[in-house]
Amino acid sequence: MITIDYKDRRPIYEQIIANIENLVERNLLEPNEQLPTVRQLAMELSINPNTIQRAYTELERAGVIYSTRGKGNFIADNSEQLRQEKTLAIFEQMTALGMRAIELGADEARMNSWFSSLTQATKGRGKND
Amino acid sequence: MITIDYKDRRPIYEQIIANIENLVERNLLEPNEQLPTVRQLAMELSINPNTIQRAYTELERAGVIYSTRGKGNFIADNSEQLRQEKTLAIFEQMTALGMRAIELGADEARMNSWFSSLTQATKGRGKND
Amino acid sequence: MITIDYKDRRPIYEQIIANIENLVERNLLEPNEQLPTVRQLAMELSINPNTIQRAYTELERAGVIYSTRGKGNFIADNSEQLRQEKTLAIFEQMTALGMRAIELGADEARMNSWFSSLTQATKGRGKND
Amino acid sequence: MITIDYKDRRPIYEQIIANIENLVERNLLEPNEQLPTVRQLAMELSINPNTIQRAYTELERAGVIYSTRGKGNFIADNSEQLRQEKTLAIFEQMTALGMRAIELGADEARMNSWFSSLTQATKGRGKND
DNA sequence: GTGGTCTAGACCACG
DNA sequence: GTGGTCTAGACCACT
């Protein structure tokens, strides 16, 4: 379920974080579900355990997972909240980019054209898991 | 005109690149206009000349400026083309983000609401230098 | 495998780039094979690590290799594509030179003579690794 | 008749050399014809006289022109010989490139196709000024 | 240990 | 004086 691309410029621990967050967003990892242990995942991906540990630590700090000493790491049960925060962040990024596009000379027609092609391409795909 | 933020995680040379590209986009630097020399800018920003040199080198490869030995660095005259390429790239990024927002559950109403607030905020600002 | 000629007017980092590209073209370096580390190669050639670093950086931008922090530099797996691009570029150069030769007075007989001696000298050497 | 492109990566004095050699090759400058003086040309191109001087010096060393103190610089009368040397050099370069193309995998069919398109494009253009 | 960035100081080719 | 290359030495992020 988790894959690493060594050609990706992002550090491995970030790829793991993004990967797990993605699985949570798509409800492929449910609240309170146990994650593989650091050693398991390290073996599976043939990666240094320190790297996995770092990913898990940052995921815990971000509230995506929680760990209990001696038992393991588990998905937190606030995935809905995380999803909303992330959505908000995405809208902010899109606004920033949109303003930049307009600064660069994109007129109203072009913006409308882009938006309609975006919404049509994804018609009927909202709110479903 | 060019500033550096040491808190910014991006390397200095990238900040300089982004800074100059921005000035070109907004036509604050016109084609064939001379840039500050490597040593001048290095002094002005209290930065090592090598770092400025690297920024200029990459700007030249990107086609934003051209260098002539013994004379200096000058703005290239293809700013319009660069602007279009950049606009295209922005739209691609926006599309990717938009699809992600929809995946995360943003419904049509929300997308429409976001888009109208974006276009209203920037009303009448397109296509002017 | 990599040598530097100090009499060569090209800068050292360009010689290294050409050298590695050549090895890739001839399949002496295979996709995903690890290159010597920056420091290793610097030691081996008695050259400053920064110079090697620059060569590797440009090779990465050209898509010949990819770098991963903490691990090393590796040959990219698009060598066939690079080979085709390079072949195309060579044909363009040859066309430019050929037209110049004709401008300078080389008649058809001479062109034919040159071409047949070229193709005979390399008979049966195409398409093999 | 002589133009300089500041965006060209070649140094200015080399551009001047190439320019004059080209005019000689095409017989637009005839043997014993007088060239503009260093100062004249420097004024005309708004360029440092030292740069022109360097170009003339190298042209004299290459046998393309000769200078007589106090009188000026003149085209040498061995243009035919120079043309032949240059043609020879071009054929050598083409041979080197051709061998490289074959090394890179260009088969006989492709070489033939290239050659015929080259010779057809320039049909009937040999040996005329 | 590995790549990536930066500083300080130097030399060369060009104008 | 200006860009371009190189060396020496250092620090940081990542594995």
Side-chain angles (χ1 to χ4, degrees):
Chain A
M1 232 111 138
I2 296 179
T3 57
I4 289 180
D5 177 10
Y6 285 103
K7 292 164 199 168
D8 194 325
R9 307 285 329 235
R10 289 176 306 172
I12 293 176
Y13 77 94
E14 275 189 17
Q15 292 188 43
I16 295 173
I17 291 174
N19 227 313
I20 291 181
E21 284 184 338
N22 195 310
L23 291 172
V24 171
E25 283 163 11
R26 294 192 292 156
N27 286 341
L28 297 179
L29 287 176
E30 296 185 3
N32 300 310
E33 185 174 342
Q34 182 164 13
L35 290 165
T37 69
V38 170
R39 285 172 199 162
Q40 269 177 7
L41 195 50
M43 290 265 291
E44 193 182 321
L45 302 176
S46 4
I47 273 185
N48 192 311
N50 289 331
T51 306
I52 309 290
Q53 186 55 60
R54 174 158 186 188
Y56 277 8
T57 304
E58 299 214 7
L59 280 168
E60 187 179 12
R61 205 167 46 77
V64 179
I65 68 175
Y66 62 89
S67 34
T68 41
R69 203 189 310 265
K71 302 198 72 172
N73 297 276
F74 304 87
I75 302 296
D77 54 0
N78 57 350
S79 51
E80 185 51 37
Q81 184 194 336
L82 291 170
R83 201 173 293 148
Q84 287 182 14
E85 285 172 5
K86 193 149 289 182
T87 308
L88 211 59
I90 287 177
F91 276 113
E92 277 172 14
Q93 291 174 50
M94 285 175 72
T95 300
L97 285 172
M99 293 180 67
R100 232 178 132 225
I102 293 171
E103 267 175 31
L104 284 169
D107 58 12
E108 214 175 318
R110 186 158 183 195
M111 293 300 288
N112 286 332
S113 151
W114 165 77
F115 186 67
S116 70
S117 72
L118 169 68
T119 47
Q120 290 215 350
T122 56
K123 204 73 168 185
R125 281 219 261 138
K127 279 294 182 194
N128 53 353
D129 301 331
Chain B
M1 231 118 139
I2 296 178
T3 56
I4 289 180
D5 177 9
Y6 284 99
K7 297 166 206 157
D8 194 327
R9 294 197 44 186
R10 290 177 304 170
I12 295 174
Y13 76 95
E14 276 190 16
Q15 293 187 44
I16 295 172
I17 291 174
N19 223 315
I20 291 180
E21 281 185 338
N22 195 306
L23 291 173
V24 172
E25 282 165 12
R26 294 192 290 155
N27 285 341
L28 297 179
L29 288 175
E30 297 186 2
N32 299 310
E33 184 173 342
Q34 180 163 14
L35 291 164
T37 70
V38 171
R39 292 163 173 85
Q40 267 178 11
L41 193 52
M43 290 265 293
E44 192 182 320
L45 302 177
S46 324
I47 274 184
N48 190 289
N50 280 327
T51 305
I52 308 289
Q53 175 74 279
R54 173 160 187 187
Y56 278 7
T57 302
E58 300 217 3
L59 281 167
E60 186 182 19
R61 199 196 36 247
V64 179
I65 70 175
Y66 62 89
S67 298
T68 57
R69 249 185 291 211
K71 298 207 62 174
N73 294 277
F74 304 84
I75 303 293
D77 55 0
N78 57 349
S79 49
E80 184 52 39
Q81 182 194 338
L82 291 170
R83 202 173 290 145
Q84 287 182 15
E85 285 171 7
K86 197 154 288 183
T87 308
L88 211 60
I90 287 177
F91 275 114
E92 278 172 14
Q93 291 174 49
M94 285 175 72
T95 300
L97 285 172
M99 291 179 69
R100 255 206 102 205
I102 293 171
E103 268 175 33
L104 283 168
D107 58 13
E108 215 176 317
R110 186 156 183 198
M111 293 300 289
N112 286 332
S113 149
W114 165 77
F115 186 68
S116 69
S117 72
L118 169 67
T119 46
Q120 291 216 348
T122 56
K123 203 75 169 183
R125 279 218 266 140
K127 280 287 179 199
N128 52 352
D129 299 333
Chain C
M1 234 118 140
I2 296 178
T3 56
I4 290 181
D5 176 9
Y6 284 99
K7 297 167 207 155
D8 195 327
R9 295 197 44 186
R10 290 177 305 170
I12 295 175
Y13 76 93
E14 276 189 16
Q15 293 187 43
I16 296 172
I17 290 173
N19 224 313
I20 291 181
E21 282 184 339
N22 194 306
L23 291 172
V24 171
E25 281 166 11
R26 295 192 290 156
N27 285 339
L28 297 179
L29 288 175
E30 297 186 2
N32 299 311
E33 185 174 343
Q34 181 163 14
L35 291 164
T37 69
V38 171
R39 291 165 174 84
Q40 266 178 11
L41 193 52
M43 289 266 293
E44 193 182 320
L45 302 177
S46 325
I47 275 184
N48 190 291
N50 280 328
T51 305
I52 309 289
Q53 176 73 280
R54 174 160 186 187
Y56 278 7
T57 302
E58 300 215 3
L59 280 168
E60 186 183 18
R61 199 194 37 246
V64 178
I65 69 175
Y66 62 89
S67 299
T68 56
R69 250 185 291 214
K71 298 206 66 175
N73 294 277
F74 304 84
I75 303 293
D77 55 359
N78 57 350
S79 49
E80 186 50 39
Q81 183 194 338
L82 291 171
R83 202 172 292 146
Q84 287 183 15
E85 286 171 6
K86 198 153 287 181
T87 308
L88 212 59
I90 287 177
F91 276 113
E92 278 173 13
Q93 290 173 50
M94 285 175 73
T95 300
L97 285 171
M99 293 180 68
R100 239 193 117 220
I102 293 170
E103 268 175 31
L104 283 169
D107 58 13
E108 213 175 319
R110 185 155 185 199
M111 294 299 289
N112 286 332
S113 150
W114 165 77
F115 185 67
S116 69
S117 72
L118 169 67
T119 47
Q120 290 214 349
T122 57
K123 203 74 169 184
R125 280 219 263 138
K127 281 290 181 199
N128 53 352
D129 300 332
Chain D
M1 231 115 135
I2 295 180
T3 56
I4 290 181
D5 177 9
Y6 285 104
K7 292 163 199 170
D8 194 325
R9 305 287 327 236
R10 290 176 304 172
I12 293 176
Y13 77 94
E14 275 189 17
Q15 292 187 44
I16 295 172
I17 291 174
N19 227 313
I20 291 180
E21 284 184 339
N22 195 310
L23 291 172
V24 172
E25 282 163 12
R26 295 191 291 156
N27 285 342
L28 297 178
L29 287 175
E30 296 184 3
N32 300 311
E33 185 174 342
Q34 180 163 16
L35 289 166
T37 69
V38 169
R39 284 174 199 161
Q40 270 176 8
L41 194 51
M43 290 265 290
E44 191 183 321
L45 303 176
S46 3
I47 273 184
N48 191 312
N50 289 331
T51 307
I52 308 290
Q53 186 55 60
R54 174 159 186 185
Y56 278 7
T57 304
E58 299 214 7
L59 280 168
E60 187 179 12
R61 203 166 48 76
V64 179
I65 68 176
Y66 62 89
S67 33
T68 40
R69 203 189 312 266
K71 302 197 72 168
N73 297 277
F74 303 86
I75 302 296
D77 55 0
N78 57 349
S79 51
E80 185 51 39
Q81 183 194 338
L82 290 171
R83 201 174 292 147
Q84 286 181 16
E85 285 171 5
K86 194 150 289 182
T87 309
L88 210 60
I90 287 177
F91 275 113
E92 277 172 14
Q93 290 174 51
M94 284 175 73
T95 301
L97 286 172
M99 292 179 67
R100 234 182 130 221
I102 293 171
E103 267 176 31
L104 284 169
D107 57 12
E108 214 175 319
R110 186 159 184 195
M111 293 300 289
N112 286 331
S113 150
W114 165 78
F115 185 68
S116 70
S117 72
L118 169 68
T119 47
Q120 290 216 349
T122 57
K123 204 75 170 182
R125 280 219 265 138
K127 280 290 180 198
N128 52 353
D129 301 332

